[in-house]
């Protein structure tokens, strides 16, 4: 570690507060009643319930989502036996990964005990507190016995990640390398450098996957692990080979797989020629591997190389699996993590690598989108789809093995629930997506050459949300699809529409466009230029003349300019006075809808009423009952300023049009979101609970509030959703992601489905 990185790491741990973890309350603690429910006397009810049924502890406490990360600090990272106190930063980091990747709460517990029996006794006594135990950084061979006995003693999952995490990912890497290299695992010759906990676990996994024991030779710092070796550790007796070979280079000839879990520079460049054609080299020593990948590329360009480092392809990183193994195990309340559950994870990880990388992966790795092959045989650690593949596989395997206390009955519903860890917009959009799939409309994408659009369209095709039409230069779109490694097949999955190659369609669009704008100061020459050069205009006209059912525009250039391009294309809905923009923000605490964030600078009371009714109708399509707050600097009549009067007048108009709508105002922002504050100001407020649809007096306040909440609340955006158009057309903001385009596509498809029903 250089001085710059060391200093940065220390500052990271110091500021803005020491450490990486904090405890956050999940219930309010603001009144004496809250105190009486959380503690004495109300807590006795929860205690009594657990006395009657121990499993109630999973329902009434945090136990169902709580994992202990436990170590004695005897084998920490590459630091060795540094003791429990010095290991605490590592354990805190592990707990953070649980939370980040799988939403699992963790306590790190560092036990000052090296005696295995006393350590086992200490950990076993913690069972009532946790739903699972993750053992970490415990030296071999004690770790084998510790895990085995704790698994026998405890009725919750116990998992030693150093053994099994690495083995699971190695198993996935081997399965995919066999596909790339055209080999069969039953036939390959395997040589290990290292015979510790991780190496032994890797060998067990590989055998379970089909590798022949006769084809596996293990070596350690004393040489080949052979039958009859003096002072052979008992844990190695089952893997000792009958052989005359005594050194690593003696067993390398013809090896298809080199598995290094040992020390730096163990594998020499001059030995690489001994390996079989198209070998797999897993050099997993950290921070310096058994051999550097550049040396392998120079001597054996036919080899596939994996390391434990993030700066080389094919990183074997335990974060690929351990959070999601526990997620699946906790969700079925498993009593153990079985061998079949581990194998299910191996196969799930291997399968995911064979699917094109997501936009989130590309963004996390500098925009590079890896595709399955020699430099991408295992997924990237930041691939958000890992939980969607692994947790259900673990849950199903636990059920099949009979260790699930609470089996999952509806796996489709379970997968939808997991989406909250992947894309928080998943749950919000579920009703929208289901409606969209039934309609299966044609959606044109104005920016058909954009990488974000193409990644989004891949998901749209996979999820059967719509039939995409990509607008742009055909050769450029085809080239980009190939570069990104997407599975889109032009002419089958998507239609590419290049207006330069469709003269008749271009003429029809031009004629329709000229009819719309010819009397608005747009001469014929300008009309030709607009249809040909402005994708938003062309997409809008395709929607206007009925070639498609919906349009997604924008994402490039100024939003307001794109909106002005689009507005003449599609008429307003019958009875609509104006067009409005609503944007949804999904936060950890729920979803908030903001109006009007983009279009109307200073709407009148009548326009605010119209906007509110349109927005409430749209919110209902998300499967959410709208709870509307008309916001102001004034709180229930405190001010008689023009804006306050406007909001009060809008409330009267809304009540007249929709008496059943739950709406109140004018009110402060905190009153909208905290019922107690609202009731202090107006005990008989007609709004109950937390408002989810926030209506602002002008565009400035709406846009500022939306962006402030988004920036401080780590929110996921859906929108802006245009309200009041006769046909579904939406304009993405320049900062839109592929996920944002997918979200807009789902909304547009749903609106197309509603239009078709009329």
């Amino acid at each position: 570690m250089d001085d710059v990185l060391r200093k940065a790491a220390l500052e990271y741990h110091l500021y803005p507060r020491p450490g990486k973890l904090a405890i956050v309350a999940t219930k309010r603690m603001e009144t004496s009643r809250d105190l009486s429910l959380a503690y004495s006397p109300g807590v006795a009810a929860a205690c009594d319930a657990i006395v009657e049924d121990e499993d109630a502890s999973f329902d009434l406490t945090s136990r169902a989502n709580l994992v202990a990360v436990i170590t004695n600090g005897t084998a920490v990272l590459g630091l060795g036996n540094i003791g429990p106190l010095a290991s605490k930063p590592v354990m805190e980091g592990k707990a953070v990964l649980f939370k980040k990747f799988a939403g699992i709460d963790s306590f790190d517990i560092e036990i000052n005990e090296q005696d295995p029996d006393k350590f086992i006794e200490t950990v076993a006594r913690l069972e009532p507190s946790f739903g699972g135990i993750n053992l970490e950084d415990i030296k071999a061979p004690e770790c084998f016995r510790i895990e085995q006995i704790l698994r026998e003693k405890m009725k919750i999952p116990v998992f030693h990640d150093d053994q099994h995490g690495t083995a699971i990912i190695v198993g996935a890497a081997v399965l995919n390398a066999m596909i790339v290299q055209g080999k069969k695992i039953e036939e390959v010759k395997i040589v290990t450098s290292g015979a510790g906990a991780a190496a032994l676990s890797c060998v067990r996994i590989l055998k379970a996957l089909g590798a022949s024991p006769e084809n596996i030779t293990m070596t350690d710092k004393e040489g080949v692990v052979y039958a009859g070796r003096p002072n052979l550790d008992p844990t190695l007796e089952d893997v000792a080979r009958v052989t005359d070979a005594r050194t690593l280079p003696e067993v390398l000839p013809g090896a298809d797989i080199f598995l290094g879990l040992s020390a730096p520079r163990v594998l020499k460049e001059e030995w690489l020629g001994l390996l079989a054609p198209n070998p797999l080299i897993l050099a997993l020593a950290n921070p310096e591997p058994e051999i550097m990948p550049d040396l392998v590329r120079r001597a054996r360009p036919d080899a596939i190389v994996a390391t434990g480092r993030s700066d080389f392809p094919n990183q074997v990183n335990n974060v690929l699996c351990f959070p999601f193994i526990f997620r699946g195990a906790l969700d079925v309340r498993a009593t153990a993590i079985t061998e079949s559950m581990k194998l299910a994870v191996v196969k799930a990880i291997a399968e995911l690598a064979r699917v094109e990388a997501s936009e989130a992966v590309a963004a996390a790795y500098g925009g590079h989108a890896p595709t399955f092959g020699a430099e991408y045989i295992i997924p990237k650690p930041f691939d958000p789809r890992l939980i969607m593949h692994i947790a259900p596989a673990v849950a199903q395997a636990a059920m099949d093995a009979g260790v699930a206390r609470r089996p999952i009955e509806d796996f489709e519903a379970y997968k939808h629930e997991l989406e909250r860890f992947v894309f928080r917009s998943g749950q919000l959009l579920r009703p929208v997506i289901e409606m969209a799939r039934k309609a299966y409309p044609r959606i044109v994408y104005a920016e058909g050459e954009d990488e974000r659009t193409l990644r989004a369209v891949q998901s749209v095709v996979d999820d059967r949300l719509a039939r995409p039409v990509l607008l742009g230069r055909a050769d450029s779109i085809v080239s980009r699809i190939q570069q990104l490694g997407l599975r889109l097949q032009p002419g089958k999955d998507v239609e590419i529409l290049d207006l330069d190659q469709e003269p008749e369609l271009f003429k029809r669009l031009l004629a329709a466009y000229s009819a719309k704008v010819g009397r608005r100061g747009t001469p014929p020459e300008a009309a030709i230029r607009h249809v040909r050069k402005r994708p938003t205009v062309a997409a809008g006209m395709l929607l206007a003349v009925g070639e498609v059912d919906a349009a997604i525009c924008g994402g490039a250039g100024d939003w307001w300019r794109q909106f002005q391009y689009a507005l003449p294309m599609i008429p307003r809905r019958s009875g609509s006075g104006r067009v409005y923009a609503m944007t949804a923000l999904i936060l950890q605490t729920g979803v908030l809808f903001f109006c009007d964030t983009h279009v109307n600078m200073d709407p009148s009371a009548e326009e605010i009423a119209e906007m509110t009714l349109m927005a409430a109708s749209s919110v209902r399509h998300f499967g959410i009952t709208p709870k509307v707050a008309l916001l102001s600097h004034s709180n229930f009549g405190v001010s008689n300023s023009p804006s306050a009067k406007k909001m009060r007048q809008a409330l009267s108009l809304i009540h007249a049009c929709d008496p059943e709508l739950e709406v109140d105002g004018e009110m402060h922002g905190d009153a909208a979101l905290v019922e107690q504050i609202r009731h202090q100001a107006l005990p008989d407020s007609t709004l109950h609970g937390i408002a989810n649809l926030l209506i602002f007096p002008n565009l400035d306040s709406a846009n500022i509030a939306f962006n402030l909440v988004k920036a401080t609340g780590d929110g996921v955006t859906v929108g802006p959703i245009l309200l009041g158009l006769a046909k579904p057309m939406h304009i993405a903001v320049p900062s839109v992601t592929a996920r944002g385009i997918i979200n807009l596509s789902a909304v547009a498809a749903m609106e197309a489905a509603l239009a078709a029903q009329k």
Side-chain angles (χ1 to χ4, degrees):
M1 187 189 307
D2 60 36
D3 291 340
V4 174
L5 181 59
R6 183 177 296 276
K7 181 180 178 182
L10 290 174
E11 290 178 349
Y12 175 85
H13 284 78
L14 278 170
Y15 306 110
R17 57 186 291 184
K20 300 188 284 285
L21 287 173
I23 294 175
V24 178
T26 60
K27 302 292 192 297
R28 291 189 180 277
M29 187 67 68
E30 298 174 353
T31 66
S32 58
R33 178 166 176 77
D34 292 338
L35 182 60
S36 68
L37 293 172
Y39 201 54
S40 181
V43 72
C47 296
D48 290 340
I50 295 172
V51 169
E52 293 178 8
D53 178 8
E54 290 187 357
D55 281 354
S57 64
F58 292 105
D59 297 312
L60 299 174
T61 75
S62 60
R63 189 183 182 206
N65 196 51
L66 190 60
V67 167
V69 178
I70 303 180
T71 189
N72 60 5
T74 53
V76 179
L77 292 174
L79 303 174
N81 189 354
I82 61 175
L85 189 58
S87 74
K88 186 172 178 62
V90 180
M91 300 307 113
E92 281 192 359
K94 190 85 171 194
V96 169
L97 294 176
F98 268 114
K99 188 67 174 180
K100 166 68 177 177
F101 290 101
I104 294 172
D105 297 317
S106 301
F107 287 135
D108 62 291
I109 299 176
E110 295 76 31
I111 299 175
N112 189 16
E113 182 57 71
Q114 294 196 23
D115 182 283
D117 292 325
K118 293 181 180 179
F119 182 87
I120 290 168
E121 182 180 355
T122 302
V123 175
R125 288 177 174 174
L126 297 173
E127 182 172 347
S129 297
F130 298 98
I133 302 292
N134 184 95
L135 299 174
E136 192 76 17
D137 293 350
I138 303 169
K139 68 183 180 73
E142 291 93 331
C143 62
F144 301 117
R145 181 167 168 266
I146 287 171
E147 186 194 37
Q148 179 182 350
I149 294 177
L150 285 174
R151 288 180 63 181
E152 294 169 356
K153 281 178 170 285
M154 304 179 81
K155 296 179 181 178
I156 56 176
V158 177
F159 185 77
H160 185 206
D161 186 44
D162 298 314
Q163 292 183 57
H164 310 300
T166 300
I168 286 168
I169 301 159
V170 164
V174 169
L175 285 182
N176 280 342
M178 297 301 95
I179 294 173
V180 174
Q181 303 290 48
K183 298 183 180 182
K184 296 181 179 179
I185 192 169
E186 298 84 0
E187 299 172 356
V188 295
K189 177 181 178 181
I190 302 169
V191 172
T192 80
S193 174
L200 284 169
S201 190
C202 287
V203 166
R204 292 192 193 102
I205 283 279
L206 294 176
K207 288 179 181 177
L209 292 172
S212 171
E214 291 75 21
N215 291 337
I216 301 174
T217 304
M218 301 191 73
T219 70
D220 58 15
K221 60 185 178 181
E222 296 181 20
V224 174
V225 176
Y226 63 92
R229 194 174 83 174
N231 302 315
L232 185 66
D233 190 293
T235 60
L236 299 177
E237 291 177 355
D238 289 343
V239 296
R241 290 285 310 281
V242 177
T243 177
D244 294 329
R246 296 294 182 264
T247 65
L248 177 60
E250 290 180 72
V251 294
L252 284 176
D256 297 279
I257 298 173
F258 170 84
L259 174 56
L261 291 152
S262 52
R265 301 180 297 281
V266 166
L267 182 61
K268 308 300 181 184
E269 184 179 1
E270 57 268 25
W271 298 346
L272 295 176
L274 300 173
L275 301 176
N278 304 315
L280 169 63
I281 297 174
L282 297 146
L284 306 182
N286 251 330
E288 185 179 352
E290 284 80 1
I291 189 168
M292 296 298 288
D294 56 335
L295 297 179
V296 177
R297 282 194 295 269
R298 184 169 63 192
R300 291 298 301 266
D302 61 332
I304 295 176
V305 184
T307 70
R309 291 173 44 153
S310 61
D311 53 345
F312 294 114
N314 297 321
Q315 183 191 12
V316 175
N317 188 327
N318 288 13
V319 78
L320 281 167
C321 66
F322 73 81
F324 317 119
I325 291 173
F326 273 96
R327 179 75 276 156
L330 291 174
D331 288 342
V332 294
R333 297 181 184 172
T335 58
I337 294 175
T338 66
E339 293 304 309
S340 62
M341 292 162 74
K342 298 172 197 172
L343 289 175
V345 179
V346 172
K347 294 172 183 176
I349 292 174
E351 288 170 0
L352 180 56
R354 298 195 290 271
V355 179
E356 75 279 351
S358 68
E359 181 210 17
V361 177
Y365 289 84
H368 174 63
T371 56
F372 180 65
E375 295 197 344
Y376 185 61
I377 56 171
I378 45 179
K380 299 289 187 178
F382 283 93
D383 192 323
R385 301 167 301 173
L386 284 161
I387 193 170
M388 297 293 294
H389 279 68
I390 296 174
V394 171
Q396 183 65 63
M399 291 162 57
D400 294 342
V403 296
R405 282 192 184 95
R406 189 180 66 177
I408 292 171
E409 296 180 0
D410 187 343
F411 259 86
E412 283 304 311
Y414 175 56
K415 291 176 182 178
H416 294 336
E417 290 175 11
L418 290 174
E419 287 180 356
R420 72 186 188 272
F421 301 113
V422 186
F423 306 114
R424 277 170 283 167
S425 51
Q427 287 295 89
L428 173 67
L429 291 171
R430 182 54 48 193
V432 173
I433 290 171
E434 293 304 319
M435 188 181 298
R437 283 175 176 162
K438 292 177 182 178
Y440 201 43
R442 297 181 78 219
I443 298 180
V444 63
Y445 295 83
E447 302 295 335
E449 300 176 31
D450 188 281
E451 176 180 340
R452 296 167 298 176
T453 297
L454 292 172
R455 291 190 182 282
V457 165
Q458 180 68 74
S459 292
V460 168
V461 169
D462 289 344
D463 292 340
R464 290 189 58 79
L465 285 179
R467 292 167 289 163
V469 177
L470 296 172
L471 190 60
R473 297 168 298 171
D475 56 348
S476 178
I477 293 173
V478 171
S479 176
R480 291 294 283 158
I481 289 172
Q482 294 172 347
Q483 290 172 11
L484 295 170
L486 301 176
R487 291 171 286 107
L488 294 173
Q489 298 182 44
K492 180 181 178 183
D493 300 322
V494 297
E495 177 185 346
I496 297 176
L497 192 53
D498 187 338
L499 290 180
D500 289 338
Q501 299 178 12
E502 299 283 348
E504 293 303 318
L505 178 59
F506 178 79
K507 288 179 182 178
R508 190 153 65 93
L509 296 182
L510 178 61
Y513 179 67
S514 296
K516 288 178 176 291
V517 300
R519 294 182 180 273
R520 300 182 187 180
T522 303
E525 296 82 3
I528 292 172
R529 187 168 61 252
H530 292 175
V531 176
R532 193 177 296 280
K533 299 297 184 182
R534 293 178 178 175
T536 295
V537 171
M541 289 312 305
L542 286 166
L543 178 59
V545 302
E547 286 288 330
V548 296
D549 304 302
I552 304 296
C553 306
D558 178 71
W559 187 92
W560 182 252
R561 183 176 291 110
Q562 298 290 340
F563 176 72
Q564 289 178 313
Y565 292 161
L567 199 56
M569 307 300 103
I570 307 300
R572 289 191 294 271
R573 187 188 309 163
S574 177
S576 297
R578 297 187 69 88
V579 176
Y580 307 94
M582 177 179 73
T583 306
L585 190 61
I586 303 110
L587 304 165
Q588 296 289 354
T589 53
V591 60
L592 293 176
F593 295 87
F594 295 74
C595 277
D596 172 354
T597 51
H598 286 78
V599 179
N600 297 282
M601 288 299 302
D602 189 14
S604 66
E606 291 77 11
E607 289 165 348
I608 286 173
E610 180 181 61
M611 172 206 314
T612 302
L613 295 170
M614 285 186 185
S617 176
S618 182
V619 169
R620 291 188 184 99
H621 292 314
F622 288 91
I624 296 174
T625 300
K627 292 176 175 288
V628 187
L630 305 181
L631 301 182
S632 171
H633 73 283
S634 172
N635 209 27
F636 298 111
V638 169
S639 171
N640 281 317
S641 68
S643 67
K645 289 181 178 179
K646 178 173 70 173
M647 300 308 278
R648 288 199 289 272
Q649 184 183 353
L651 179 64
S652 298
L653 294 171
I654 294 166
H655 278 155
C657 293
D658 188 353
E660 301 300 319
L661 180 63
E662 191 172 339
V663 56
D664 209 347
E666 82 284 13
M667 70 179 73
H668 288 168
D670 57 354
L673 300 180
V674 181
E675 188 172 35
Q676 184 178 3
I677 294 174
R678 184 167 63 252
H679 283 176
Q680 287 174 352
L682 188 70
D684 63 346
S685 171
T686 54
L687 178 63
H688 304 286
I690 300 172
N692 52 33
L693 175 53
L694 307 179
I695 307 297
F696 294 82
N698 54 48
L699 186 147
D700 282 344
S701 58
N703 194 278
I704 290 169
F706 164 72
N707 281 293
L708 282 174
V709 175
K710 181 178 71 170
T712 58
D714 188 28
V716 174
T717 301
V718 181
I721 301 168
L722 293 180
L723 307 172
L725 289 174
K727 293 187 176 185
M729 182 178 194
H730 299 292
I731 301 169
V733 297
S735 60
V736 71
T737 62
R739 173 49 50 176
I741 295 173
I742 296 168
N743 294 343
L744 279 178
S745 300
V747 172
M750 177 267 293
E751 292 171 340
L754 291 172
Q757 294 173 5
K758 294 180 180 179

